[in-house]
Amino acid sequence: MKLPTKILLLITPLVVLPIIFIGIAAIHLIEDAARTRADDSTAALVQQLEQALRDAVNSAKANLELFAQSDLLHRYILTEDEAVRYSLLQPPLLRQFASYRNAYPEYYDVRLLTVNGEEDTRSTLRPSSGTIERVLADSFIKELAKMDALTHHRIVYDPEFDRLVLLAARKLLLRDPLMDPTILAPLVERGYLIVSIDLQPLLHEISSSLPEPVELFLFDSEGRPLPIAGFAGRETVLPMHENVKVLTSEPHGGPALVKDGEGSAVVRSLQPYDSWFFLASYSMSNVQAATRLLGVQVALVTLLVGALAVALLYSVLRFILVRPLKQLALAARAIGDGNLDHSIDVSSKDEVGLLASTFREMSQKLQESSRQISFLAYHDALTGLPNRVMFREFLVHSLAHAKRNSERLAVLFLDIDNFKKVNDAVGHPAGDELLKRWALQIVQCLREEDFVSRANVARLGGDEFLILLNEIQTPYDAGKVATRISMPFMEPVRLVGQEFHVTSSIGISTFPEDGEDADILLRNADAAMYHAKRLGKNGFQFFSQGLNDAIVERVDLEAKLRPALERGEFMLYYQPQVSLETGEILGLEALLRWNQPELGMISPDRFVPLAEENGLIVPIGLWVLDTVCAQIADWQRRGLGPVPVSFNVSATQINGSGLPEALESALEKYRLSPSLLELELTETTFMHAQEQAIALLAKVKSLGVAIALDDFGTGYSSLSHLRRFAIDRLKIDRSFVADITTDPDDAAIVAGVVALAHSLGLEVIAEGVETVAQKEFLLQHGCVSAQGYLMFHPEPGPVVERLLRSAAPVRR
């Protein structure tokens, strides 16, 4: 006997017989599950139907109770005058009955019977049924009259309409209206309120969910099957007399499950009519018919699985797959070890050969993927430049080379200024195009002596680039390269039909001055770049240890600044503004101070710029506004009269565009005149947000609040700007006032500013007046208002209050 035959004889019983046994067991399990499911469904269906009828009865009783409370019904019953009763009260009563039917569509008949059982009023959807009329006349009303209960119900089969009907009635007990109202009269039976409820929709809904092959029947006291949807009149599986025996054996009409060889049935009496009962049954032949097809399918699948298993095993062993599979296993192991060039010596054209070919293709694709992964691991996908990982590795090697040869190198950290605005204006694809141009421009700007390899230029991510300069002679050489990189983008760049002025901020760290470690040099270059941004962007800055210390201090100060407002660490000092001619106090300037528990009193020059950068200046500014208004109102309550106060407003508050609303709210809250407030804005604020400033100042001016241009002369404003902005006063910066008696240039500037203000119809006030000579100079040139240490130092509110009481202020 040949080996293939032996193999076939060996594997056939081992595979086919267990599968056949599993199939037979599965068929029996399916049949048992179907029988159990039919029993459970049958019992659940009977309970569901009984509960549905019980709910219908309870609902009808509750609704009759509600209908019986109608004032209109009471008036109708108690009215003795038939003309009034039938002409005036009956039409609205019928409309009320019709509204009940509209609310409950199954209530097709609502009627009112007299105490004698005679019909008085009825609202119906269809002609009267003789069967229902006979039931009402013969027994139903008589039973209700004899009962102590208020309500009574009965299920009736109406053959005229082929329907099951639920009759529900309620006694109408009312007091005699002619009795003395001071005496509690007894309730007297005045009639009956009856509704006829169509049960057929309810039975149809229940029976429509019948799982096959369950059948449902309802039998009356005479053993007649009553119609339930499409199952009326069928022959039951079990004889009637057997079901009656079951019912009589169950106390309280409980459910009973009856089984025989042909099927099962659940029988349950209909409370309180013990002679009525449900019968739900199924035939075992129907269950077997339902499962027979599934059993045939299981048998076919069983035979198919057995045949396929035998064929597969026979095929594998017939064509001896051990050797090629071993070769493929060796190839897979080699590929797993990273040897992607391992040869596979399987040349057959069957499935094994295809598998071998697939291994070869997989090896080639893994080689390509490995090269791509290696490239992406060290390069930026957008620009093709090296990424931070590759740049750092090259920087480490360059540092080692520079240390051995006592050479100098520099790291440039470049960030594109306002790159987010480009993305927001023209979209990210245009922004990506700009990044590609920058990458190409940086590479092209580096000369051959600057550019050792592409690893010298890397994209860090976003709009940040790194440049490594080897073998530079002095740090000044790095500055020249930074300038050369920035120059090509001084001209506008066109993207998607729009022109953008795109500049860069560059930070420079050098070896060995700024560090001997790669990470330190990168961090220091990053710090220098942020310093360049704070100095106005579009430039470069070198790193220094002093700069690093300043950054550490700045971070610590920012951490302490964030909770300062909640902790109540801010306070306001007030410096009087006086008339140089009379010495009278014209008003006050509110000056913000920060009393930090650990650092003490911190100058606004240190924390205000930081608050502007991180957005904290907005809530701080609102606090200043509220505190100033509260202080003015408090002084007025103390009898000091109106005290004008000015305070500084940041450019960030202007950009937020909510300042006019905040001013209006504060003035209304403290019931202050707008003339008591003056906003001080610097020239830089106007220059950075001209259009926003013009719109905002127009709103502020409409409120009646004055506006002063602070630190005038230190910015870049022009006469055209002064004409555009609705300014009330110019404040001469203290840097000019300090040297007006010794520096002719400063003296000329101050005299010119005073003359300019007067020619434009503006008030002018000088800051930082500290000597009598300065005071006399200002008076001589027409500046009659000033503030400074010569007159008053800034003081807290209580101190200023005592000062105001001794020198009554005047309103500007």
Side-chain angles (χ1 to χ4, degrees), residues 428-479:
H428 289 276
D432 291 344
E433 177 62 27
L434 178 61
L435 291 174
K436 293 178 182 178
R437 294 188 194 181
W438 265 100
L440 180 61
Q441 187 63 49
I442 293 172
V443 173
Q444 291 177 347
C445 286
L446 295 176
R447 296 190 302 244
E448 185 175 355
E449 57 266 28
D450 301 324
F451 191 79
V452 176
S453 71
R454 280 184 67 84
N456 277 38
V457 182
R459 182 185 175 212
L460 184 60
D463 58 346
E464 297 176 335
F465 295 86
L466 293 170
I467 301 104
L468 173 61
L469 303 178
N470 293 286
E471 301 180 13
I472 61 173
Q473 299 300 317
T474 65
Y476 179 70
D477 295 334

Side-chain angles (χ1 to χ4, degrees), residues 601-621:
M601 197 68 72
I602 301 176
S603 169
D605 295 339
R606 292 180 59 192
F607 71 84
V608 169
L610 185 60
E612 289 178 333
E613 289 185 15
N614 57 28
L616 291 175
I617 195 63
V618 174
I620 293 174

